[in-house]
Amino acid sequence: MYNTISISTDARGVATLTLDRAEKHNAMSAEMMRELTEAAKALGTDNKVRVVVLTGAGKSFCAGGDLGWMKEQMAADPETRFVEARKLAEMLQALNTLPKPLIGRLQGNAFGGGVGMASVCDVAIGVESLTMGLTETKLGLIPATIGPYVLSRMGEAMARRVFMSARLFEAAEAVTLGLLAKAVPAEDLDAAVEAEVTPYLACAPEAVARAKALARRLGPRIDDAVIDHTISELVACWDGDEAKEGVGAFFEKRKAAWVQ
């Protein structure tokens, strides 16, 4: 059914949604974005599913946007760029509004859009060895479509520590920043995730869904106007000279003009 993700559901109704492009460090292609959006809708309407665990196959949780997809955007016209950016925005919002608890199981590194994926989880648990980073500005881009979810999770003050600098940070700092609820040794990851899952199995599913919707309603506003603004900001970056230089430098394996 899916090419870039997989879903398995146990007898309790705990569904595991796995990013399944291990050879690409689970970088998000256009196909993965579409499949994740479809999966979120399917899981959200499946009455047998009580909890969803989001994880990745292989060494990385998610390396962010697929570089091939990104390169295609650099060559596309503005209208196509807008359509492609909306695919990413709609995927994130579909996961963010999933009417089931979404538990992040970060078994490896998360960069760029991978940080956004962690941010749409209700709780994210990561291994102590992982590294995270919002690396977009190194490429002349910005963390635009993921921005509302990152800011919602971290708060502005914490986000400004890492939102613009593209610096990498370890799991312990991710906990301090609020991206991860906790960081655990790799051998304890499954037990830590299970500890987050189990309480929901004693809760009324509809009440959980309504409580989650209420929390979103009372939290920072992420509506169509906010999402459209983030899409416009990303497209504007793709149209700019810095993105051409930054993405070009990455593929040519050289330093961008601004690197000192």
Side-chain angles (χ1 to χ4, degrees):
M1 182 178 179
Y2 298 113
N3 294 318
T4 67
I5 63 174
S6 63
I7 301 174
S8 62
T9 305
D10 69 18
R12 302 174 300 166
V14 179
T16 299
L17 172 57
T18 304
L19 310 180
D20 203 5
R21 299 184 77 211
E23 74 286 355
K24 297 290 187 180
H25 295 277
N26 299 318
M28 293 182 290
S29 62
E31 183 177 27
M32 180 181 277
M33 294 174 203
R34 176 181 57 78
E35 291 187 345
L36 282 169
T37 302
E38 292 174 358
K41 292 177 180 177
L43 291 167
T45 56
D46 188 342
N47 292 332
K48 295 179 182 178
V49 173
R50 301 283 299 273
V51 184
V52 179
V53 175
L54 177 64
T55 191
K59 296 180 179 180
S60 301
F61 173 68
C62 179
D66 181 83
L67 290 170
W69 175 79
M70 197 176 301
K71 193 173 184 179
E72 289 174 1
Q73 307 323 306
M74 299 307 301
D77 57 72
E79 291 76 17
T80 300
R81 290 171 178 165
F82 198 91
V83 169
E84 290 300 305
R86 182 169 291 283
K87 290 178 182 177
L88 175 56
E90 289 179 348
M91 178 209 74
L92 290 165
Q93 186 68 327
L95 289 170
N96 190 55
T97 57
L98 180 71
K100 309 288 172 75
L102 183 61
I103 312 300
R105 177 189 179 277
L106 277 68
Q107 87 295 349
N109 296 344
F111 302 118
V115 177
M117 295 281 278
S119 297
V120 299
C121 295
D122 299 304
V123 178
I125 310 294
V127 294
E128 292 175 337
S129 59
L130 69 75
T131 301
M132 303 181 81
L134 293 154
T135 53
E136 288 86 348
T137 53
K138 282 188 175 181
L139 298 175
L141 299 169
I142 60 174
T145 51
I146 67 172
Y149 310 102
V150 173
L151 268 290
S152 179
R153 174 54 57 86
M154 299 169 67
E156 182 183 350
M158 288 292 188
R160 284 169 67 166
R161 295 185 183 186
V162 294
F163 201 70
M164 302 88 75
S165 67
R167 73 173 177 83
L168 303 183
F169 49 93
E170 307 304 322
E173 185 173 2
V175 173
T176 299
L177 292 169
L179 283 170
L180 297 178
K182 62 178 67 174
V184 299
E187 61 270 22
D188 295 337
L189 180 60
D190 287 336
V193 170
E194 181 63 23
E196 297 295 337
V197 166
T198 301
Y200 287 110
L201 302 178
C203 296
E206 181 62 26
V208 169
R210 292 179 71 90
K212 180 172 178 176
L214 180 62
R216 291 199 323 271
R217 180 69 179 268
L218 298 176
R221 179 172 60 93
I222 305 177
D223 57 15
D224 289 343
V226 170
I227 291 170
D228 285 346
H229 180 67
T230 66
I231 293 171
S232 296
E233 286 295 302
L234 180 56
V235 172
C237 283
W238 278 340
D239 285 341
D241 291 337
E242 285 191 341
K244 294 181 179 68
E245 168 63 13
V247 175
F250 180 87
F251 281 105
E252 294 165 16
K253 301 186 186 304
R254 61 174 174 81
K255 291 182 179 180
W258 51 76
V259 177
Q260 297 186 9

